[in-house]
Amino acid sequence: MFTDVRVYPERTVFASIKGDIDHHTAKSIRTQIDRTINDSDPKLLIMDFSEVTFMDSSGIGLVMGRYKLMTERGGEVIISEPAGYIKKVFQLSGIDKLTKIVSDPTGYIKEDVDTINEEEQTNEAKAY
Amino acid sequence: MKRKPINKMKMIFPTYSENERFSRSAVSSFISQLDPLLDEISDIKTAVSEGVTNAIVHAYPDSIGEVTIEVKIYTDRTVYIKIKDKGCGIEDVKKAMEPLFTSSPDEERAGLGFAVMQSFMDKVTVRSRPAKGTAVTLIKTLREKEQ
Ligand SMILES: Nc1ncnc2c1ncn2[C@@H]1O[C@H](COP(=O)(O)OP(=O)(O)OP(=O)(O)O)[C@@H](O)[C@H]1O
Ligand SMILES: [Mg+2]
């Protein structure tokens, strides 16, 4: 289980969580996200749930914890693309009143064309 | 429950956190013979995960113990699940079941496990004795299949 955490321009971090979120997996997801928060000091953390396959109340703890951390730093959290059954758990916790839940996060991410091209070139170079 | 179940199963496993995923999947595949709807499966999986995680996190805080899960299914599509541990028990069950109550806030626990069980199942019963253990019973009657 890994979380794909990417840094975008304008201090935006996009964390794509994959697989099941439970007590067993929450700790490593948390560590991976917090490492990037500490390294890149974002003002916006987008937590992407589009590839989450299961979530119990450990997921509420995970989002609440990141919400507290980001609020302390003067930043914001957005929850992106949770499936219906995950949304149900969020609504029960009331966290949907503290953070935005969006079905399409692209408007919040500014792609940096230069960096992306550079990355592609490095990948091509590696292929040889 | 007075009637005879049409099928039942029992499983015992140690409180390793790896077993959270295994146990909810095992229960979900056992009840699949009732052909439940997707949202019923995810409700039951989530409730089982809450009960099992509580046994793993709270019942045996500094050791590895055992969790027993019994599942029974009935002709009227009722699913009966009992999650039992022989851990530390709960001093005040009423207080423990209050939404947002948690004995371990420093571990990023939301205190919503029982609230999730209650909202996703028809009935939740908790029996507990300090130093003896806890048994959580989850009951849900699945919707009739449309012919
Ligand atoms: N099997 C158990 N043995 C001992 N104590 C328990 C058990 N189950 C629950 N408790 C007690 O009841 C409290 C509330 O449980 P609940 O599942 O609602 O919240 P939580 O586990 O603390 O947080 P969350 O489930 O949101 O991560 C726990 O903090 C714990 O003190
Ligand atoms: Mg719990």
Side-chain angles (χ1 to χ4, degrees), chain A residues 30 61 65 68, chain B residues 58 100-111:
Chain A
R30 177 172 77 204
K68 274 187 204 144
Chain B
H58 305 295
L100 304 178
F101 174 84
T102 177
S103 52
S104 41
D106 38 315
E107 288 162 44
E108 294 200 339
R109 310 233 63 87

Side-chain angles (χ1 to χ4, degrees), chain A residues 1 19-25 30 34 53-58 60-62 64-66 85 88-89 92-93, chain B residues 17-18 20-21 24 39 42-43 45-46 49-50 53 56-57 100 106-110 112-113 115-116 119-120:
Chain A
M1 223 68 56
D20 288 10
I21 306 177
D22 60 14
H23 155 256
H24 178 70
T25 60
R30 177 172 77 204
D34 287 2
T53 42
F54 171 85
M55 187 184 94
D56 64 18
S57 66
S58 305
I60 303 171
L62 178 75
M64 278 299 218
R66 307 298 66 66
Y85 61 90
K88 226 166 118 178
V89 182
L92 195 123
S93 72
Chain B
S17 59
E18 284 85 351
E20 290 161 10
R21 180 196 176 92
R24 64 179 178 257
D39 66 310
S42 69
D43 285 357
K45 267 172 88 172
T46 312
S49 190
E50 297 296 351
T53 303
I56 290 174
V57 173
L100 304 178
D106 38 315
E107 288 162 44
E108 294 200 339
R109 310 233 63 87
L112 287 169
V116 167
S119 116
F120 288 7

